[in-house]
Amino acid sequence: MPRTLESQITLEKTPSYFVTQEAPRRIFNMSRDTKLIVVVRNPVTRAISDYTQTLSKKPDIPTFEGLSFRNRTLGLVDVSWNAIRIGMYALHLESWLRYFPLAQIHFVSGERLITDPAGEMGRVQDFLGIKRLITDKHFYFNKTKGFPCLKKTESSLLPRCLGKSKGRTHVQIDPEVIDQLREFYRPYNIKFYETVGQDFRWE
């Protein structure tokens, strides 16, 4: 990490941190005062999105259903598949709570980040202890992507939007498969809600 002055906040993002076993200990050893921000979304939607992105790069991979279950008839979900395992948030959070108090971790709702980006960013700014500088006036909704984007600023001639890999239409999944995965994730979701004291309403 770069050197940071007392008056500065240094941000760094890596999607895999939250699910990497060694990350909590390594970050704690670097700085136990680190504030952590985790964006979470409905784990079923997240798994489908993950699969859709992989499919765009590797069109010959097995079906979503085939990868999700060890035995679909028995309802045995394959937790060794990363797309499924990542959404077991309660499991990953346990590792972080061994090193960091809950007060140092802020959870951003991926769903609300789309429907109310200014509200979610307001809560992030509050968590970081900084003035609410990012507000509604900084966003516009991009109908093509289906996501809010940042309006152009004085330092940027163009608006900032998520990259090409974001916002693509998800593959169609059998509703029964979705229902089975919802049932699988339910106990993990409930434990996650209870631990963080926030109901994300994924059921």
Side-chain angles (χ1 to χ4, degrees):
M1 296 291 277
R3 290 180 181 275
T4 306
L5 300 175
E6 286 280 338
S7 59
Q8 294 177 317
I9 292 176
T10 301
L11 297 172
E12 198 273 349
K13 70 177 181 75
T14 303
S16 61
Y17 277 164
F18 188 59
V19 298
T20 302
Q21 196 70 37
E22 306 80 28
R25 177 182 52 79
R26 292 173 69 180
I27 293 171
F28 178 82
N29 288 339
M30 179 198 71
S31 171
R32 62 186 60 197
D33 297 323
T34 297
K35 287 187 174 182
L36 305 157
I37 300 170
V38 186
V39 181
V40 291
R41 66 190 293 202
N42 183 317
V44 178
T45 311
R46 205 218 67 77
I48 296 168
S49 177
D50 192 317
Y51 177 78
T52 301
Q53 190 161 337
T54 305
L55 190 66
S56 71
K57 298 170 188 169
K58 300 176 183 174
D60 56 343
I61 60 169
T63 64
F64 177 82
E65 180 186 323
L67 291 166
S68 296
F69 295 92
R70 283 189 290 130
N71 186 319
R72 193 181 155 202
T73 310
L74 297 175
L76 296 175
V77 174
D78 190 348
V79 296
S80 69
W81 184 34
N82 232 19
I84 293 292
R85 190 165 181 79
I86 289 171
M88 299 161 71
Y89 304 129
L91 199 69
H92 307 302
L93 182 56
E94 286 175 6
S95 302
W96 290 91
L97 293 177
R98 290 189 195 108
Y99 292 91
F100 295 94
L102 200 54
Q104 276 176 237
I105 310 174
H106 178 72
F107 295 92
V108 174
S109 163
E111 288 81 13
R112 284 198 305 267
L113 199 54
I114 294 169
T115 60
D116 179 24
E120 280 301 295
M121 288 308 299
R123 285 183 279 277
V124 167
Q125 291 167 98
D126 292 346
F127 170 70
L128 293 174
I130 58 177
K131 188 179 174 183
R132 285 196 176 201
L133 296 174
I134 302 169
T135 62
D136 274 325
K137 68 180 183 183
H138 293 95
F139 296 95
Y140 76 96
F141 191 80
N142 183 312
K143 289 179 183 174
T144 308
K145 280 199 163 292
F147 280 101
C149 300
L150 284 168
K151 291 178 181 174
K152 63 181 180 181
T153 61
E154 292 170 12
S155 60
S156 171
L157 297 173
L158 296 170
R160 294 285 307 274
C161 219
L162 291 168
K164 290 177 183 176
S165 67
K166 304 293 181 183
R168 58 165 64 96
T169 306
H170 287 173
V171 292
Q172 287 297 111
I173 306 295
D174 181 345
E176 285 186 16
V177 168
I178 291 172
D179 286 342
Q180 280 182 290
L181 289 176
R182 279 190 187 132
E183 282 303 311
F184 166 75
Y185 280 119
R186 183 168 281 114
Y188 293 100
N189 290 346
I190 291 168
K191 188 178 179 187
F192 181 63
Y193 300 164
E194 289 172 349
T195 306
V196 304
Q198 191 176 344
D199 185 347
F200 290 89
R201 303 186 182 280
W202 291 325
E203 273 60 53

